[in-house]
Amino acid sequence: MSHKQQQSYKKLPTEAMDNPAMSNSSSGSGSHVDVATSDRLPPTNSSQQLVSSSDSDSIEERPLRGAVDGIDTVPATMVRFSNVGRSQWFTVTVLCFVNLINYMDRFTIAGVLSDIQKDFEIADDAAGLLQTAFVIFYMVFAPLFGYLGDRHSRPWIMAVGVALWSTTTLLGSFMPNYGWFITFRALVGIGEASYSTIAPTIISDMFVNDMRSKMLALFYFAIPVGSGFGYIIGSKTATLANNWRWALRVTPILGIAAVLLILLIKDPERGASEGSHNMETTSYKDDLKGLVKNRSFMLSTCGFTCVAFVTGALAWWGPSYIHLGMSMQPGNEDLQVDDVAFKFGAITMVAGLLGVPLGSFLSQFLHKRYPSADPAICAFGLLLSAPLLTGACLITNHSTAGTYILIFFGQLALNLNWAIVADILLYVVVPNRRSTAEAFQILISHAFGDAGSPYLVGAISEAIKKQLVGNAREDNRLVSLALTAVNETSQLLSNGTERAIINLRDDTSEYSNKIKFEGLQYALFSTTFVEVLGGIFFLLTACYIIKDKTAAVRAVAESNDQEGQNPRSARNEIA
């Protein structure tokens, strides 16, 4: 390398680029992360370490992968947990705690769904509509909170939202009829939209690169764990109180504490972790146009929509379906749904405890050699989960242990997605559009994902049950006619045959357990097709992700470059 070329390398803030897709292979204890910027990039106050002189000298000893449109790559040292300050740890801890109780509240009802159906005397489609109403309000209000989150105080917006969903959850537990109950469940979605839209963007403004991935893994780690707690707390509280309504009165108490903690966290400057200072917001129309043109963002959102569809359907109907199937096994006639919900919740928690950090680890390990590894891992998780969960559906009425094992590994593979999808969004979207991007992803993924999947599965189940009952009644009628003819002619009808007819008639009574099980089984097979479709979307994302990451990083570098030359000109960046 010539002396002139050596002069072009300076000590640069690693936060300026979050582009591990162009990183050099790691050696020793350091992880080499790409940095692209200009000579005029301002220093940052992030906890990320700068390139040491020894690391800079080592560039001469091995060839670079090259520059992308004039953006050079230099190695950087990995940030360790010891570099994270107390304020940052406090913020992440609070956000994880609120995310935990957020999902506890969301799936408490799933743990007591059978009791709710009996109390309000509603069928499967109406039971699925409870979750659909919640998600519809959740996704409709997400864009509003995304717009506010890019422009106003994020802790205050989250505090108001958490207070709202805690209040409406508590009030909903006192509603005497289905109409009022579903109304308050829908209002819960408004409050939860504020938090889910904004919280990941706060993490992104405090950390970059591997540390951002680790913190996002902690944050999304709370989703399966919180969901599992929701099943467990919901079912056990209802059993102890002998009333399912008490299951909905646990999370509101925790919500009050969450509001107070949220008000204590600091709102970091948007884009601070990447060295971007005071990036000007653009119009909402320009934000949406930029997101729609971002192919990695759109394709990963489609893939995540499939994840949401499957997760929503299984989380809502899983315990009820497993209970119906296992009750058909000899010796399990007295099996209680709360026992199934407890075990299902425990499996969900353990799968989350292992799956979310495993996905983050695979991402950090593989993208050093394979720049497009993140969407590939997501695709692998979905394509592996599909046959495992399908197998669990097929053997539920035959093998208890086999069912739980397949569900565990199926959810483990599905949980690889959570932290990675969030990280993809944050590094392919510029900082001043991330809340809007989160809101847009929530809108799309829930509108076509878990907003409809609980109701859709319930509606398909009802349609199939009617068809099964109709077919069984027709078969029963034909058998009865045939046996009656034989009886009239030869009097050969035996007591055993009489009992067979009686049993057949009992089994084809409107919606016997066998009919209910088969209806849900066929309906849940729809999730297999959706998982395969999601895997295809993530494989397509891998084709564009390097280009889109580079574009986002360059936009930040150009913004800082313009701000260094003329602060006024920074207002015109990222049209």
Side-chain angles (χ1 to χ4, degrees):
M1 182 180 292
S2 66
H3 179 69
K4 183 178 180 180
Q5 288 175 315
Q6 293 179 35
Q7 289 179 336
S8 65
Y9 287 92
K10 299 178 181 291
K11 280 190 175 183
L12 302 175
T14 62
E15 300 84 358
M17 286 284 282
D18 183 18
N19 191 13
M22 299 188 298
S23 61
N24 295 302
S25 60
S26 60
S27 63
S29 61
S31 172
H32 300 136
V33 184
D34 296 295
V35 180
T37 184
S38 68
D39 292 343
R40 289 176 290 276
L41 264 177
T44 71
N45 296 321
S46 171
S47 62
Q48 295 278 21
Q49 300 176 13
L50 300 180
V51 180
S52 65
S53 58
S54 59
D55 286 335
S56 295
D57 293 338
S58 66
I59 301 175
E60 301 180 13
E61 300 175 7
R62 62 182 184 276
L64 292 173
R65 290 190 180 181
V68 181
D69 294 339
I71 300 178
D72 295 322
T73 61
V74 296
T77 53
M78 179 186 293
V79 175
R80 297 178 175 85
F81 282 115
S82 59
N83 299 114
V84 181
R86 292 182 180 179
S87 177
Q88 291 172 314
W89 272 121
F90 176 76
T91 299
V92 172
T93 301
V94 171
L95 295 180
C96 290
F97 168 70
V98 181
N99 206 33
L100 182 76
I101 63 174
N102 181 8
Y103 277 84
M104 279 177 57
D105 174 79
R106 189 176 300 188
F107 289 103
T108 295
I109 286 185
V112 293
L113 186 59
S114 298
D115 294 332
I116 294 175
Q117 287 186 267
K118 292 178 183 178
D119 193 356
F120 292 134
E121 298 180 351
I122 56 176
D124 287 351
D125 50 357
L129 193 60
L130 285 172
Q131 184 73 346
T132 298
F134 162 83
V135 178
I136 287 175
F137 273 69
Y138 177 80
M139 70 182 188
V140 167
F141 280 87
L144 171 62
F145 290 114
Y147 177 86
L148 296 175
D150 280 333
R151 292 160 176 82
H152 301 287
S153 171
R154 289 175 287 188
W156 274 102
I157 296 172
M158 291 191 298
V160 172
V162 173
L164 177 61
W165 71 250
S166 298
T167 303
T168 50
T169 296
L170 181 62
L171 293 176
S173 69
F174 294 98
M175 295 300 106
N177 57 61
Y178 176 78
W180 278 109
F181 183 71
I182 194 173
T183 299
F184 275 89
R185 285 308 299 172
L187 293 176
V188 172
I190 300 176
E192 291 199 14
S194 67
Y195 178 79
S196 299
T197 302
I198 295 173
T201 67
I202 293 180
I203 293 176
S204 74
D205 289 334
M206 294 191 298
F207 308 100
V208 293
N209 302 328
D210 286 348
M211 184 53 65
R212 174 190 286 170
S213 299
K214 293 174 182 176
M215 291 302 179
L216 285 173
L218 289 175
F219 179 77
Y220 286 102
F221 174 83
I223 292 180
V225 176
S227 302
F229 271 127
Y231 294 120
I232 294 172
I233 292 177
S235 59
K236 290 305 176 184
T237 302
T239 301
L240 293 174
N242 199 27
N243 188 339
W244 64 267
R245 296 177 183 274
W246 281 98
L248 301 181
R249 298 167 186 170
V250 177
T251 52
I253 298 174
L254 299 175
I256 296 173
V259 171
L260 298 177
L261 291 172
I262 289 173
L263 293 176
L264 296 177
I265 69 176
K266 296 180 180 179
D267 192 2
E269 183 180 328
R270 290 165 180 82
S273 62
E274 288 119 324
S276 172
H277 296 276
N278 299 316
M279 286 187 70
E280 292 290 332
T281 57
T282 54
S283 68
Y284 195 64
K285 180 180 179 180
D286 288 337
D287 288 349
L288 294 180
K289 287 173 61 177
L291 293 175
V292 170
K293 292 179 181 179
N294 190 323
R295 286 175 290 188
S296 294
F297 170 74
M298 293 301 298
L299 288 169
S300 63
T301 297
C302 290
F304 186 63
T305 299
C306 296
V307 175
F309 183 97
V310 176
T311 302
L314 294 179
W316 196 251
W317 291 112
S320 298
Y321 173 75
I322 295 172
H323 175 255
L324 285 171
M326 292 184 177
S327 296
M328 298 171 63
Q329 298 179 24
N332 284 347
E333 292 81 6
D334 297 328
L335 182 66
Q336 298 298 313
V337 68
D338 63 303
D339 293 333
V340 175
F342 180 88
K343 293 176 181 178
F344 186 82
I347 289 173
T348 300
M349 278 197 300
V350 176
L353 288 169
L354 298 177
V356 174
L358 177 60
S360 179
F361 170 78
L362 291 175
S363 170
Q364 295 169 51
F365 178 76
L366 292 176
H367 75 59
K368 297 172 184 177
R369 294 182 177 86
Y370 307 103
S372 57
D374 282 355
I377 295 170
C378 294
F380 171 77
L382 281 171
L383 296 176
L384 177 61
S385 175
L388 292 172
L389 294 178
T390 300
C393 286
L394 290 172
I395 66 172
T396 304
N397 57 332
H398 300 294
S399 172
T400 299
T403 298
Y404 284 135
I405 290 173
L406 290 177
I407 288 176
F408 168 75
F409 285 106
Q411 291 201 53
L412 180 70
L414 196 60
N415 282 326
L416 297 178
N417 287 268
W418 288 104
I420 298 177
V421 172
D423 206 12
I424 290 174
L425 181 150
L426 294 172
Y427 60 61
V428 300
V429 177
V430 291
N432 60 332
R433 287 179 182 164
R434 284 175 181 161
S435 289
T436 300
E438 288 281 355
F440 189 78
Q441 188 172 84
I442 287 174
L443 175 63
I444 297 299
S445 62
H446 291 298
F448 300 99
D450 58 347
S453 62
Y455 175 75
L456 181 62
V457 169
I460 294 175
S461 173
E462 286 296 316
I464 292 175
K465 285 190 291 187
K466 291 178 181 178
Q467 184 65 34
L468 291 173
V469 168
N471 292 340
R473 284 176 174 171
E474 180 64 20
D475 292 341
N476 189 18
R477 187 180 68 84
L478 294 175
V479 171
S480 297
L481 288 174
L483 290 174
T484 300
V486 172
N487 181 50
E488 290 176 350
T489 56
S490 61
Q491 299 295 322
L492 295 177
L493 186 62
S494 65
N495 292 333
T497 307
E498 288 176 352
R499 285 194 297 270
I501 296 175
I502 293 173
N503 291 336
L504 180 60
R505 287 172 177 167
D506 289 341
D507 193 43
T508 57
S509 61
E510 185 122 12
Y511 302 167
S512 65
N513 285 342
K514 183 175 182 296
I515 295 294
K516 290 179 181 179
F517 170 76
E518 291 180 352
L520 268 179
Q521 184 181 60
Y522 291 129
L524 286 172
F525 284 154
S526 62
T527 61
T528 302
F529 168 78
V530 175
E531 283 193 287
V532 173
L533 183 63
I536 294 173
F537 279 126
F538 280 120
L539 290 176
L540 291 174
T541 304
C543 299
Y544 302 102
I545 195 163
I546 298 176
K547 179 180 177 181
D548 291 329
K549 289 168 74 172
T550 304
V553 172
R554 186 183 300 109
V556 174
E558 291 175 354
S559 170
N560 292 332
D561 185 37
Q562 291 178 17
E563 188 175 350
Q565 294 181 61
N566 183 2
R568 293 182 179 179
S569 66
R571 298 180 180 179
N572 300 320
E573 99 251 329
I574 314 178

